Amino acid sequence: MTTKPLPLTPELHAYLVAHGSPPDEIIRDLAAETLALLPDQATMQVAPEQAAFLTFLTQLLGVRQAVEVGTFTGLSALAIARGLPEDGRLTCFDISEEYTGVARRYWARAGVDDRIELRIGPAADRLRELPHERYLDFAFIDADKTGYPIYWSELVPRMRPGAVIAVDNTLRGGRVIAPQNADDRAIAAFNDDVLTDVRVDAVMLPIADGVTLARVH
């Protein structure tokens, strides 16, 4: 027994993925098409174990109303939508018609497109269109890193008590310890802000590039 984290070697990572809920054909095809169409941007897609985690978390929390900021080709949205009940709703915000065009096809193929509303445009502006009440059960932030504080400030007041916000890339490949660029510095500052936000309790998990879970009071 140890209190220190295990080094996640490629072999151990493969074992971890193999012993969780496996990606089905739709997820495998979406990942493959994203890599083929957008080889330079494919790393923006959540990892397979993150997709399984998002579905599991959505089901565990009994989510009915969810928001996603940053959709890309739609894998994370697909994972969240699969965890919703049939009358659940996921509102996605993204700026790219091209990337989300891929997403729409796979949502339809998975039979969850009726649970997802996609809103194209700057999320900093479009989030303000959401109702000004505490009704959201879950939110996932995975967009431009310098925008995280804005998305956070718009979402926290709209989360019901006990709701959860998940934030991706909060370790930045380990560079939050010694930031090397503007995105690294933005995430390091954001992490500090979350730590001192009295409206939430937060935990940072070493899943993929780091995922912060914050439970809203």
Side-chain angles (χ1 to χ4, degrees), residues 83-204:
L84 296 174
E86 289 187 5
D87 61 347
R89 191 73 169 176
L90 169 62
T91 305
C92 295
F93 296 87
D94 203 278
I95 58 172
S96 174
E97 292 278 9
E98 176 189 3
Y99 297 163
T100 56
V102 177
R104 288 181 187 275
R105 287 193 284 106
Y106 282 89
W107 296 340
R109 180 176 164 188
V112 297
D113 52 326
D114 60 337
R115 304 176 197 176
I116 302 175
E117 178 189 356
L118 177 63
R119 300 188 186 186
I120 298 294
D125 297 326
R126 302 226 58 187
L127 279 168
R128 298 186 180 105
E129 300 170 0
L130 295 173
H132 291 275
E133 59 188 72
R134 302 187 69 176
Y135 76 103
L136 292 173
D137 303 305
F138 182 71
F140 182 55
I141 301 175
D142 185 17
D144 58 296
K145 308 313 166 192
T146 55
Y148 276 24
I150 298 173
Y151 309 144
W152 180 266
S153 67
E154 292 296 331
L155 287 168
V156 171
R158 292 175 166 89
M159 310 301 295
R160 65 165 180 78
V164 170
I165 303 177
V167 187
D168 200 17
N169 304 119
T170 50
L171 289 178
R172 291 291 297 170
R175 297 188 302 278
V176 285
I177 297 173
Q180 299 176 14
N181 56 46
D183 284 349
D184 295 347
R185 290 188 290 273
I187 291 298
F190 172 78
N191 290 341
D192 290 342
D193 290 342
V194 171
L195 183 65
T196 58
D197 193 329
V198 297
R199 299 171 297 176
V200 305
D201 295 318
V203 61
M204 189 179 292

Side-chain angles (χ1 to χ4, degrees), residues 201-214:
D201 295 318
V203 61
M204 189 179 292
L205 304 176
I207 298 174
D209 195 28
V211 176
T212 292
L213 298 181

